[in-house]
Amino acid sequence: MAGVERRSSPAWLPASLLSSRQLRTLADLGAERTVDSGEILFSAGDASYDFFVVLDGAADIVEQLGAAEQRLVASYGPGEFLGEIGMLTGERAHFAGVMRGPGRVLQVPLDRIQELIAQDPGLSDYIMRTFLERRANLLRRGAGLILIGSRYDERCRALLQSFSLSRMGVTWMDLEDQPDAEALLRELQVPVTDLPIVLIPGRPLLRNPQPADLAAEFGEPPTAVDDGQDACELLDLLVVGGGPGGLAAAVYGASEGLRTALIDAAAFGGQAGTSSRIENYLGFPAGLSGAELAARGAVQAAKFGVRLHRNARATRFVSRGGLHTVVCDDGRTFRAHDVIVATGAEYRRLDVPGIGAWEGNGVFYSATVAEARHAIGRPVAVIGGANSAGQAAMFLSRTSGPVYLLVRGDDLEHAMSRYLVDAIHSNPKIDVRVRTEAVGITGNSSVTGLNVVDRAAGELSSLELDAVFVFIGATPCTDWLGGRLATDSKGFLLTGHDLDAVRTYGRGPLAFETSVPGVFCVGDARSGSVKRVAAAVGEGSAAVRLVFERRRIGGTETLCP
């Protein structure tokens, strides 16, 4: 392994020492074998790879193996295992696993590990938490992918946002102020007209990638494109949106024997997936991160045979003859007898002149380790007065400071849970500013400040800071339905008894059923929904029961013209 950068204590990926009992459990699933010095256990770009435990010797995780820039990510010795959460969620390997010297390893096939995750709660929990911690560390480091593009390019900013929502580690090289970016483009012989580009370890570079390109690189299963010949598979249940409600619906649907697919425009988890810590979810007294909830839900869905599709943004909906068709922006088409809409809502963009140029580069609409690393040790602002804003402020206060929490209303109590209000008021790093709105943003190569106004006093002031995190209100993600389902005045879908005022003929709708029979809605996209994770999970599971109820009573008549 000559040329690999060495550290006395590599901390990119945490250690993972297994107990003797855990080793025996894994030994029953795999096979021991002798390995040579320098032997590659898996390579960057591999579509899948096995689970390795080091028995003798040491194994290195290396970024850009064989290149002049190769560097050590982590080293593991006897009793430790390799891998991270992408192994279980179908992503390609972004690093290589290489033996530092001769030794022995236990190699467990991936499908056996997936079975173990589903059947052994203790060992499953240990492996999952280790994998998730490793992914968080990679996000902090920006390790994995390289994005080259201009901060002024809307396509580049969209990719940054997509990678953030997908919780993918990425190093962004801004063409505007990083000479290395131009040098790398010359080396790769890529003209500026091809930007943005994404470099994926072990794979060809992507020029101005579209959703289908990213989906293929991240291990998405193939799905027929609509060619007018009804080529795509007919599903029992299609769930659109992979937040807590959608994940719950997919798990319950597949576990009840329905041929189920789950599609999402980014990564699974929805808004909850971007939450640093959910502390009021039943059964988790210490709380859990949104990323952990999403990863566990996706693995559970895969266990029951759900067809999982990320980077699949729904753009068109058609219902005809009791069958429903959803078409995505990349042409992927899904047809199903029943559909559960769980596309949720998205935070409104901050209405401040020029702020669009900073989105993904100092202005963020989520607060995870991927975004927090942009302002470690420096002041930030969180805008919003509900739970998401409060959770973000608490999370960011661990690594940034001060944290200005800007609230348009008169207090926090109106929309925030009591436990968060108390935690925020007792946190010396959080400066709460009520009746305060942002009216301007400043920056040069990065964000440098925010202009705010105190509405009560009418005073304008400036805050020096390095990043802004926005959590203000939400608009429903229902435009893709093309107005074919009844909504309230704000665009949220009407369901159940809320349809009584617009229903003109046909049977009465079931709870969570929309104005089109066989199409249900759960979570934040539904009018009158309770904006809590547990409520969305309950609605998702209940909607599956109603799918069976609809089939029992029969009928595909239109509830609303």
Side-chain angles (χ1 to χ4, degrees), residues 47-82:
S48 65
Y49 52 102
D50 290 339
F51 183 91
F52 288 93
V53 180
V54 178
L55 300 178
D56 290 313
D60 290 334
I61 303 299
V62 180
E63 187 176 25
Q64 300 187 57
L65 178 65
E69 303 82 10
Q70 74 177 26
R71 51 180 172 171
L72 180 69
V73 175
S75 291
Y76 297 116
E80 296 181 321
F81 60 87
L82 285 61

Side-chain angles (χ1 to χ4, degrees), residues 337-496:
H337 291 288
D338 290 273
V339 173
I340 295 178
V341 177
T343 43
E346 60 184 5
Y347 293 113
R348 296 192 185 98
R349 277 1 193 195
L350 190 62
D351 187 18
V352 168
I355 200 167
W358 301 105
E359 291 181 354
N361 179 32
V363 175
F364 306 101
Y365 293 88
S366 59
T368 69
V369 292
E371 295 82 22
R373 67 187 178 90
H374 291 272
I376 294 177
R378 302 192 296 273
V380 301
V382 175
I383 302 177
N387 276 12
S388 295
Q391 290 165 349
M394 289 296 297
F395 172 68
L396 292 165
S397 70
R398 302 176 192 172
T399 55
S400 299
V403 177
Y404 299 102
L405 180 56
L406 310 182
V407 183
R408 184 176 182 178
D410 295 332
D411 54 50
L412 295 178
E413 286 78 0
H414 177 69
M416 192 177 294
S417 295
R418 184 75 246 174
Y419 80 92
L420 266 177
V421 174
D422 293 341
I424 287 169
H425 284 316
S426 63
N427 189 324
K429 294 182 70 176
I430 300 178
D431 182 351
V432 180
R433 306 281 183 96
V434 297
R435 299 181 296 276
T436 301
E437 293 183 53
V439 293
I441 191 167
T442 59
N444 38 58
S445 61
S446 61
V447 170
T448 58
L450 198 64
N451 299 325
V452 299
V453 61
D454 183 328
R455 292 300 186 192
E459 296 178 353
L460 182 68
S461 60
S462 297
L463 301 174
E464 293 185 4
L465 43 81
D466 284 45
V468 180
F469 298 83
V470 183
F471 304 88
I472 53 169
T475 56
C477 300
T478 55
D479 289 347
W480 63 277
L481 292 163
R484 293 178 175 85
L485 276 64
T487 68
D488 63 16
S489 60
K490 296 181 179 179
F492 293 90
L493 295 181
L494 296 172
T495 59

